[in-house]
């Protein structure tokens, strides 16, 4: 997996979030995060759940170094996220964000192009990433020719083409139909097993969190605080059929109760 993109040997990043506060100023200041503490071990797959607008996406942006906390600290591998080399963090947004004038291969190549990787090497790496997400038959298509699921697969390929040490995903499959969403969840989990990188995944879906993650963290309504931090009592290998098992339903029930608690502000 990802052999063609092996221009460095990744080691999964650990994440430390220490008493993080973030308030957005304006006519009416919005307090998004109020003293969030969390530690994510290298190689973990963590799902973040919580009410809409509670600050999950804000926290993801802070981890990526795209925004800065007003107080507290975010530390990746012992340092500020902004000090990491480019390409060490992959980010998949809610919208695929593909450039309409570039085909799939050229879109996936873009991070390597920005890094100054030679054309032949970045094309090889892009095609390998495209194969990894299962859309190699669409490598020369343009975004307008792709389904929603294929666009998100291309976006995922673009995020992993640099062999990141940390992959951040902000509700990437929320707009897809259930079948496409399940297929992409399975693809993502397979990629995580094979790459062994750290993954932080924001979702509103209890089912998705229970299927994907090794650990689920549930936040209260804004300003976010952690109300439930739970290692899922499910096997590490999870076939699609696990969604119908009693153990899976039990974990979903725990997450639902925690979400209800977070929504109520208790």
């Amino acid at each position: 997996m990802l052999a063609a993109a092996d221009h460095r040997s990744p080691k999964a990043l650990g994440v430390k979030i220490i008493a993080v506060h973030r308030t957005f100023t304006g006519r009416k200041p919005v307090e998004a995060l109020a003293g969030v503490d969390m530690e994510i071990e290298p190689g973990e797959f963590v799902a973040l759940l919580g009410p809409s607008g509670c600050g999950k996406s804000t926290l993801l942006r802070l981890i990526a170094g795209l925004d800065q906390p007003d107080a507290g600290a975010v530390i990746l591998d012992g340092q500020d996220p902004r000090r990491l080399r480019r390409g060490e963090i992959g980010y998949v947004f809610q919208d695929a964000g593909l450039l309409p004038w570039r085909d799939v291969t050229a879109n996936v190549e873009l991070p390597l192009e920005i890094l100054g990787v030679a054309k032949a090497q970045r094309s090889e790496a892009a095609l390998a990433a495209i194969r990894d997400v299962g859309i190699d038959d669409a490598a020369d298509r343009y975004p307008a020719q792709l389904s929603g699921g294929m666009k998100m697969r291309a976006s995922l390929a673009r995020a992993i083409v640099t062999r990141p040490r940390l992959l951040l995903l902000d509700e990437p499959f929320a707009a897809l139909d259930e079948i496409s969403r399940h297929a992409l969840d399975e693809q993502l989990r397979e990629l995580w097993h094979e790459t062994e990188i750290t993954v932080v995944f924001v979702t509103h879906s209890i089912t998705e969190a229970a299927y994907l993650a090794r650990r689920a963290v549930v936040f209260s309504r804004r300003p976010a605080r952690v109300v439930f931090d739970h290692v899922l009592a499910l096997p590490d290998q999870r076939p699609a059929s696990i969604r119908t098992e009693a153990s899976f339903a039990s974990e979903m029930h725990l997450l639902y109760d925690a979400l209800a608690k977070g929504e109520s502000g208790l």
Side-chain angles (χ1 to χ4, degrees), residues 213-251:
R214 180 177 287 168
R215 175 177 157 214
V217 179
V218 180
F219 294 97
S220 67
R221 66 188 181 193
R222 192 174 64 224
R225 59 185 178 83
V226 176
V227 296
F228 191 56
D229 190 338
H230 176 63
V231 176
L232 293 154
L234 294 170
D236 204 39
Q237 296 294 332
R238 297 177 197 170
S241 59
I242 199 171
R243 296 184 180 94
T244 64
E245 295 180 10
S247 59
F248 191 83
S250 177
E251 291 300 305

Side-chain angles (χ1 to χ4, degrees), residues 21-34 52-56 58 67-68 70 221-224:
H21 292 255
R22 183 69 175 101
T23 297
F24 296 97
T25 58
R27 292 180 60 187
K28 186 177 181 181
V30 175
E31 187 180 17
L33 304 171
S52 295
C54 75
K56 302 182 298 298
T58 297
D67 190 14
Q68 297 303 305
D70 299 311
R221 66 188 181 193
R222 192 174 64 224

Side-chain angles (χ1 to χ4, degrees), residues 44-66:
E44 270 199 296
F45 194 128
V46 177
L48 306 183
L49 291 153
S52 295
C54 75
K56 302 182 298 298
S57 295
T58 297
L59 184 60
L60 214 63
R61 289 179 60 82
L62 293 174
I63 294 171
L66 300 176

Side-chain angles (χ1 to χ4, degrees), residues 2 10 19 22 29 49 57-58 88 104 113 120 126 128 130 134 158 192 197 208 211 225 228 237 240 248 256 258-259:
L2 304 179
R22 183 69 175 101
L49 291 153
S57 295
T58 297
E88 294 198 86
V104 167
E113 188 176 330
I130 288 166
R158 184 176 58 192
W192 170 61
I197 62 174
E208 189 165 58
Y211 177 75
R225 59 185 178 83
F228 191 56
Q237 296 294 332
F248 191 83
Y256 180 85
L259 272 174

Side-chain angles (χ1 to χ4, degrees), residues 163-231:
R163 290 182 55 83
R165 302 168 65 194
L166 170 65
L167 182 60
L168 307 174
L169 303 103
D170 190 359
E171 296 189 77
F173 312 144
L176 303 179
D177 64 85
E178 199 73 3
I179 298 299
S180 297
R181 187 168 185 160
H182 282 189
L184 278 164
D185 285 344
E186 290 157 21
Q187 186 91 57
L188 177 58
R189 207 162 201 285
E190 181 182 346
L191 281 168
W192 170 61
H193 271 293
E194 295 190 18
T195 59
E196 298 182 335
I197 62 174
T198 308
V199 179
V200 184
F201 189 98
V202 168
T203 180
H204 279 106
S205 169
I206 296 170
T207 304
E208 189 165 58
Y211 177 75
L212 282 173
R214 180 177 287 168
R215 175 177 157 214
V217 179
V218 180
F219 294 97
S220 67
R221 66 188 181 193
R222 192 174 64 224
R225 59 185 178 83
V226 176
V227 296
F228 191 56
D229 190 338
H230 176 63
V231 176

